[in-house]
Amino acid sequence: MDRAMVTVDNVTRSFALPKGGTYVALKDINLNIAEGEFISLIGHSGCGKSTLLNLMAGLDQANTGGILMDSRQVTDPGPDRMVVFQNYSLLPWQSVRQNIALAVNNVMRESSQVERRERVEQSIALVGLGHAADKLPAELSGGMKQRVAIARALAIRPRLLLLDEPFGALDALTRGNLQQQLMQICQQAGVTTVMVTHSVDEALLLSDRVVCLTNGPAAGIGQILKVTLPRPRERLEVMEHPDYYRLRGELINFLQQQRRLKQHRQELGTSVVSPSVPQPAPKAVAMAQRTVRIGYLPGLDIAPMAVALDRGFFSDRNIQVIPVVFHRWQQMEEQLRAGDLQLAITSATSPLALALGQHGQPSWPAITPMTVTRSGNAICLAQRFRDLNVHSLSDLAALLDDRGSRLRLAIGQQGSMQDLLLRHWLASGGIDPDQAVDFQILSPLAIQSALRNGEIDGFIAGRYRVAKAMDAGLGYVLATDLDIWSGHPEKVLTCHEAWAANNEALLLDVCGALIRGGQICENGGQRDRLIGLLSRPQWLGNDAALALQRQLNLGNGQATSNLLPLNRYHSDRAHVANSAEGAWILTQFSRWGWSPFPRNRLELLGQVYRNDFCSTALEQEGLAALSPDRQPIQLACGGPFDQDEPLSYLEALPFTHNTAIAVMPLPSGTAKRATTTTETPAS
Amino acid sequence: MTTLSSSLETVDRDLARDPDYLCFEGVGQVFQTKNGPFEALRDINLQVAKGEFICVVGHSGCGKSTLLNMVSGFLTPSSGRVTLHDQPIESPGPDRMVVFQNYSLLPWKSVEQNVALAVKAARSELTAQAQASVVDHHLEMVGLLEARHKRPGEISGGMRQRVAIARALAVQPEVLVLDEPFGALDAITKEELQEELLAIWREHKPTVLMITHDIDEALFLADRIVMMTNGPSATIGEIVDVPFARPRSYEAIQNDPHYGQLRNHALDFLYRRHAHQDD
């Protein structure tokens, strides 16, 4: 995109409520607008569209973040930004000409009388009102009044035109004609425009990009749709363009999904967890001991929980955490479904897989309030491949071509993040995982002996498992997540949606304790103490210490250092429950033929990714609330992933099995047991 | 595809039972004005089946309201005739209920009283208890049980329109006449009400004639869309069949490839072939 003329930088706007507390209208809005661009803001009532417009106009100030125009902060209204409201705001006792002249005289003080008059007449002509220049507003139709308002705004040559539902009060026909005129005027004047609208057709006709806002409170940008229709556009012709109804369908789907999310939240009896309503301090209130059972599998990913337990972060918050160890992912998820666990540290893909009911399971209303760890994976091959001179992915591809036999690779769980990373990496090197690989699902604990016994050729796992295999001289590292997706979400906290709704404060405290734990895990100075802790029998066991100390010796001759990072536990937005990453996961589910790509992905992601918990927990801990940015995700292999263009990404990937799209039934969080809402997909 | 064809059959069977239920035969309407006679409608011919859902679209001044007023019996045609069950419609009656855009609720009566009043008048054969349960049932269907004791001034526009719809349907009319009932509502409320309206329509299956400006609304609700030419002397320009299976989901029909075709066809009629003079 061109250099931004207007930058909305991390804007949050909240309002104090009369009865105490605050209402967060907009949360963490980031948007760049290029010079000459036409942007529409669309969303349901109460989504903060007009609030955002007022902030750009300088009529209102953000609580955090700010608006930049030409790299200068917008602090008050100015003649470079003009606003047109739905109700025209003309002076009723002044004629069309006088209304416009008033604005011109006010702004063009340096100019001569002649210049000003010229400007007024030009502006009147621009909107085709020469014949009505001496009429009073009351003598004009609604459409004509709005044309006067637009002419007045443009007369002073603003750089940014802000339109707040300019045609909302007009009938369909007048509206259509005015839209056409507005488009021509904006193009002629080359003015950058931001328009708030409810109308999908209006947005498509006029805009270069449509910014879709999610429901309030704490509304954010849900999707940005690029309107690729060629210009100049004509209102009726544009609808006959082959892409028109696809784009229109995207917007309608967005609005429908937001509408259902709103209903869903209402049925659940909870709104988004509001970050600014102060939670009572647990210590100050006498509370019953709160007990939660958290499932996990041994690995470096449990470090934040181990630390939080060790340092008493849970008991400080009046929570008794019972960690429940499992050896198979499948088993743990079964217990989570059965309600025997309240929470589990699962693969980053599990919340979506559970919600969709993948791999033959019924769908289950899983949510994730936070990401526990990022990165930390490596792909390890058996030692004998090194002897065959396999040092890279292309070596491996060549070997497979030569031998014509299938590679036997172990993964911990089908459809896990590790499975997706491994498949994605193989495919990027021209290896079709479903043709060239036999995947074996093994408990992490069984991997080493399988490798020793020659039952597998390699595996993907956390660096700790890899380090152990290397220590035993069984394997070497061919790739790490740095070669695939640096900073990918690895393990997330997962629970039932209704449980979260009924235990908000408890869940926030658990998240808070894990965040504190994660902070310590990343503290290099605490590394030895951390290794000591993880080597205790209840976590990784006595024999872990050596592997932990050397776990970054990748066995490929690279230098090692005790100060190299382990997994990412805290820094660089590690905790964010990022629905864009969820969108990538959905593309992979679809790519490998496990489910159609959900047409209602935003609804699904909005239901599953509850970053509101994460932000609130961070704020409770006195840390800055984090929100995902909207930058495309940079994967080391394969192109960048833009969450707004998942289908074109999917289609461009090698070995994509499935590009079917369907409205996926979503679990209802109100029922403890999953019941699917039935909606007939498009035939 | 099974759902599509099977529900199409059901609809067709229902409609086939009584295809000439409500008939306009050569209907014209001329008003006497101080500037002489004004022909609002000319030569309207339309057969509506029992239980059919018809939307009438056209620009303002196309005589849509005149058409509906002849069904409700507020107006009799200057020529031709409008019949229900082969009987000419000559006056308003409780078998035909009208809902207007402006709600027309009694402002000093509660939500419940507004509905009860209509039920009492139109369904006097019921016991007081039965009447009360009819009121309850219809308030429930539009989700207004909790607001039952509020007055119209204390509730939102969407809720007021819900009251008006509950009131009209509680009378269990054979014909429901809707004059742009959702024109003044925001998009979400409008869609919710459209869905509620369809749900109630499925229960009683009254014949519906509805005026709307909104093509998307017509495509979501109607079995057929009647498109009017511009007045004066407006008449039926074209009738479009809406083939989507019922029950309909807003998203599913939007994603149907026919949707764009039908919509563009209707828009073409309204904004090209019968474009209106503009200000």
Side-chain angles (χ1 to χ4, degrees):
Chain A
M1 196 173 87
D2 306 336
R3 209 173 57 83
M5 181 174 109
V6 179
T7 299
V8 181
D9 188 17
N10 212 33
V11 161
T12 294
R13 179 71 179 108
S14 51
F15 300 93
L17 295 171
K19 289 175 188 165
T22 46
Y23 177 84
V24 182
L26 292 169
K27 184 138 177 65
D28 303 320
I29 308 282
N30 286 292
L31 181 67
N32 284 321
I33 301 169
E35 175 124 46
E37 220 184 347
F38 197 116
I39 298 276
S40 288
L41 303 175
I42 203 165
H44 290 303
S45 319
C47 74
K49 302 181 293 275
S50 298
T51 306
L52 184 54
L53 204 74
N54 288 341
L55 288 167
M56 291 190 209
L59 295 167
D60 188 17
Q61 291 298 313
N63 298 70
T64 57
I67 312 262
L68 299 174
M69 183 159 156
D70 298 324
S71 309
R72 292 236 285 275
Q73 191 182 357
V74 171
T75 51
D76 40 33
D80 54 343
R81 284 154 286 126
M82 285 301 290
V83 194
V84 175
F85 297 101
Q86 184 177 331
N87 59 5
Y88 327 121
S89 333
L90 302 175
L91 298 180
W93 63 90
Q94 305 233 312
S95 71
V96 168
R97 183 175 282 117
Q98 286 168 324
N99 263 288
I100 295 173
L102 199 68
V104 168
N105 292 335
N106 211 3
V107 174
M108 297 176 64
R109 289 190 190 148
E110 314 290 306
S111 310
S112 70
Q113 192 73 27
V114 179
E115 280 172 317
R116 291 187 210 173
R117 193 171 304 143
E118 219 165 71
R119 179 67 65 80
V120 171
E121 296 309 317
Q122 264 175 12
S123 307
I124 293 172
L126 186 69
V127 295
L129 282 175
H131 63 287
D134 295 315
K135 290 196 170 161
L136 293 177
E139 300 173 89
L140 305 177
S141 71
M144 290 164 87
K145 277 185 249 184
Q146 197 56 292
R147 273 148 68 186
V148 179
I150 292 169
R152 180 180 54 180
L154 290 173
I156 60 170
R157 303 278 191 270
R159 304 207 48 217
L160 182 63
L161 180 63
L162 300 163
L163 305 166
D164 194 354
E165 286 195 61
F167 311 128
L170 306 176
D171 68 82
L173 194 76
T174 313
R175 209 180 161 117
N177 291 322
L178 263 185
Q179 285 163 355
Q180 195 76 44
Q181 286 180 10
L182 173 69
M183 189 164 46
Q184 281 154 6
I185 292 170
C186 285
Q187 252 163 2
Q188 263 173 37
V191 62
T192 309
T193 309
V194 180
M195 176 179 74
V196 166
T197 180
H198 269 113
S199 161
V200 169
D201 293 294
E202 184 167 289
L204 285 179
L205 174 68
L206 297 170
S207 313
D208 296 308
R209 288 187 295 156
V210 184
V211 174
C212 306
L213 294 175
T214 60
N215 298 326
I221 295 178
Q223 189 181 4
I224 298 178
L225 187 78
K226 289 192 194 76
V227 184
T228 47
L229 303 166
R231 290 183 187 271
R233 299 175 188 160
E234 196 278 325
R235 200 164 61 89
L236 291 173
E237 272 166 21
V238 85
M239 295 185 184
E240 283 154 18
H241 190 279
D243 285 345
Y244 188 83
Y245 280 94
R246 182 183 60 75
L247 293 167
R248 189 172 187 273
E250 287 250 357
L251 291 179
I252 298 262
N253 285 351
F254 176 86
L255 293 171
Q256 289 291 317
Q257 291 177 54
Q258 289 301 317
R259 179 186 144 197
R260 282 199 304 264
L261 271 173
K262 198 177 217 169
Q263 285 170 344
H264 182 81
R265 294 263 159 90
Q266 274 164 4
E267 281 161 20
L268 214 57
T270 168
S271 58
V272 176
V273 184
S274 172
S276 303
V277 176
Q279 305 284 330
K283 280 174 223 155
V285 188
M287 288 171 89
Q289 179 82 306
R290 304 177 295 175
T291 305
V292 282
R293 293 162 60 87
I294 305 182
Y296 72 98
L297 263 73
L300 280 175
D301 306 302
I302 50 97
M305 179 165 73
V307 169
L309 277 162
D310 184 50
R311 306 270 172 120
F313 294 159
F314 291 115
S315 46
D316 285 353
R317 291 163 177 76
N318 230 319
I319 313 168
Q320 189 195 0
V321 162
I322 304 174
V324 186
V325 66
F326 290 84
H327 295 294
R328 296 182 67 88
W329 294 103
Q330 195 64 36
Q331 244 175 358
M332 183 176 80
E333 288 184 6
E334 276 162 21
Q335 300 242 333
L336 183 64
R337 282 168 179 279
D340 294 338
L341 300 171
Q342 284 77 48
L343 290 159
I345 296 175
T346 69
S347 169
T349 57
S350 294
L352 283 170
L354 287 164
L356 284 170
Q358 231 157 30
H359 310 302
Q361 299 277 354
S363 84
W364 190 78
I367 66 152
T368 176
M370 68 178 280
T371 303
V372 179
T373 58
R374 291 174 177 272
S375 301
N377 284 306
I379 294 167
C380 179
L381 282 192
Q383 203 64 34
R384 63 177 178 282
F385 285 85
R386 178 138 70 174
D387 304 335
L388 292 167
N389 277 323
V390 175
H391 298 297
S392 67
L393 179 55
S394 52
D395 294 344
L396 183 63
L399 179 78
L400 290 177
D401 264 357
D402 275 1
R403 289 205 314 196
S405 65
R406 287 158 77 95
L407 199 63
R408 299 162 305 161
L409 297 179
I411 52 175
Q413 185 185 18
Q414 190 188 2
S416 63
M417 199 63 201
Q418 292 167 343
D419 187 6
L420 297 188
L421 292 172
L422 176 59
R423 284 168 171 270
H424 189 73
W425 176 73
L426 288 168
S428 75
I431 302 172
D432 181 349
D434 284 326
Q435 291 299 320
V437 181
D438 283 325
F439 289 99
Q440 296 186 18
I441 297 167
L442 288 182
S443 158
L445 303 177
I447 283 178
Q448 194 161 332
S449 68
L451 197 64
R452 179 176 290 123
N453 300 336
E455 291 155 17
I456 54 173
D457 298 325
F459 64 91
I460 181 167
R463 285 185 196 168
Y464 166 67
R465 297 272 158 226
V466 175
K468 288 200 72 164
M470 289 191 305
D471 267 2
L474 296 171
Y476 68 107
V477 167
L478 199 57
T480 70
D481 41 29
L482 295 177
D483 303 307
I484 310 171
W485 174 0
S486 172
H488 69 82
E490 173 49 32
K491 297 290 189 299
V492 300
L493 197 60
T494 299
C495 66
H496 190 288
E497 186 176 35
W499 184 82
N502 297 330
N503 298 277
E504 247 174 43
L506 174 57
L507 180 56
L508 286 171
D509 284 343
V510 170
C511 291
L514 288 175
I515 288 165
R516 286 288 176 208
Q519 235 179 348
I520 288 173
C521 290
E522 260 189 30
N523 181 340
Q526 302 284 335
R527 185 62 49 87
D528 287 342
R529 184 171 169 184
L530 178 64
I531 291 174
L533 170 65
L534 293 174
S535 309
R536 287 183 200 163
Q538 71 266 36
W539 301 118
L540 302 178
N542 289 325
D543 59 339
L546 192 63
L548 284 176
Q549 265 152 13
R550 291 201 291 193
Q551 63 93 29
L552 287 151
N553 177 354
L554 300 179
N556 55 6
Q558 285 175 16
T560 66
S561 161
N562 276 340
L563 299 175
L564 283 174
L566 299 156
N567 305 42
R568 243 173 64 202
Y569 295 110
H570 184 76
S571 59
D572 202 9
R573 300 172 189 251
H575 298 300
V576 167
N578 185 346
S579 60
E581 294 164 350
W584 183 82
I585 291 169
L586 291 175
T587 63
Q588 304 303 301
F589 285 176
S590 174
R591 177 187 194 183
W592 305 120
W594 300 328
S595 82
F597 190 81
R599 190 184 294 289
N600 49 344
R601 71 174 195 278
L602 293 171
E603 183 183 10
L604 171 65
L605 294 168
Q607 213 166 299
V608 171
Y609 281 78
R610 294 293 301 276
N611 195 55
D612 50 320
F613 278 105
C614 178
S615 321
T616 310
L618 283 162
E619 285 190 350
Q620 276 188 30
E621 297 302 320
L623 300 165
L626 298 173
S627 61
D629 59 29
R630 290 192 55 81
Q631 295 304 311
I633 297 170
Q634 299 299 332
L635 286 92
C637 59
F641 172 72
D642 179 353
Q643 61 177 318
D644 294 327
E645 307 280 348
L647 289 174
S648 48
Y649 175 79
L650 181 56
E651 279 159 20
L653 288 174
F655 308 118
T656 289
H657 289 21
N658 183 358
T659 52
I661 311 165
V663 175
M664 301 299 284
L666 301 183
S668 153
T670 43
K672 186 69 194 170
R673 278 282 154 200
T675 54
T676 50
T677 51
T678 47
E679 182 175 296
T680 346
S683 52
Chain B
M1 280 321 281
T2 45
T3 49
L4 181 70
S5 55
S6 63
S7 63
L8 273 182
E9 277 161 25
T10 347
V11 172
D12 288 344
R13 221 179 305 122
D14 283 354
L15 300 183
R17 204 174 296 149
D18 203 348
D20 302 333
Y21 174 71
L22 172 66
C23 283
F24 297 80
E25 291 165 34
V27 170
Q29 187 64 259
V30 180
F31 297 107
Q32 298 307 323
T33 71
K34 59 182 180 195
N35 300 326
F38 174 84
E39 186 178 45
L41 287 175
R42 184 176 66 187
D43 198 26
I44 302 285
N45 289 291
L46 178 69
Q47 281 81 43
V48 181
K50 189 168 166 56
E52 197 175 8
F53 200 125
I54 299 279
C55 282
V56 181
V57 298
H59 297 297
S60 28
C62 74
K64 292 173 300 203
S65 300
T66 309
L67 193 71
L68 295 204
N69 282 338
M70 291 187 289
V71 176
S72 45
F74 295 136
L75 203 62
T76 48
S78 320
S79 56
R81 56 179 210 152
V82 185
T83 59
L84 183 68
H85 285 309
D86 290 326
Q87 296 300 309
I89 294 174
E90 278 158 351
S91 61
D95 54 341
R96 286 155 287 126
M97 285 300 291
V98 192
V99 177
F100 298 102
Q101 181 174 343
N102 59 6
Y103 325 118
S104 2
L105 302 175
L106 300 178
W108 63 92
K109 299 238 179 245
S110 70
V111 164
E112 181 179 20
Q113 288 166 334
N114 264 289
V115 179
L117 206 66
V119 173
K120 215 175 280 174
R123 303 187 67 187
S124 50
E125 77 283 3
L126 298 178
T127 64
Q129 207 183 349
Q131 285 176 356
S133 77
V134 167
V135 172
D136 279 1
H137 175 67
H138 286 85
L139 287 178
E140 191 184 351
M141 287 197 74
V142 294
L144 279 178
L145 278 181
E146 277 171 32
R148 64 193 307 161
H149 299 303
K150 297 202 163 144
R151 296 212 164 74
E154 301 170 307
I155 58 180
S156 69
M159 287 165 89
R160 271 178 248 163
Q161 197 56 289
R162 286 188 164 92
V163 181
I165 288 171
R167 180 180 59 180
L169 285 156
V171 169
Q172 290 204 358
E174 291 187 47
V175 179
L176 181 63
V177 175
L178 303 165
D179 193 353
E180 277 203 71
F182 308 138
L185 305 176
D186 69 273
I188 278 204
T189 313
K190 189 167 175 169
E191 281 162 21
E192 278 170 6
L193 276 168
Q194 287 167 354
E195 280 171 3
E196 282 167 23
L197 174 63
L198 279 187
I200 307 178
W201 173 72
R202 275 200 296 278
E203 183 176 286
H204 296 310
K205 268 297 174 82
T207 305
V208 181
L209 254 75
M210 172 167 164
I211 290 182
T212 176
H213 264 110
D214 181 344
I215 298 288
D216 295 296
E217 178 167 272
L219 286 168
F220 180 51
L221 297 173
D223 293 311
R224 286 191 291 159
I225 302 175
V226 172
M227 296 194 289
M228 305 290 292
T229 63
N230 290 323
S233 308
T235 188
I236 295 175
E238 199 176 318
I239 298 178
V240 175
D241 281 311
V242 184
F244 306 122
R246 294 185 191 273
R248 289 176 186 167
S249 125
Y250 205 71
E251 251 163 315
I253 70 163
Q254 295 274 352
N255 292 319
D256 190 310
H258 294 311
Y259 191 85
Q261 284 169 19
L262 285 173
R263 186 170 186 271
N264 281 353
H265 182 82
L267 291 172
D268 183 62
F269 178 95
L270 286 174
Y271 296 108
R272 282 218 186 97
R273 287 185 281 150
H274 297 275
H276 202 259
Q277 297 310 311
D278 157 44
D279 68 342

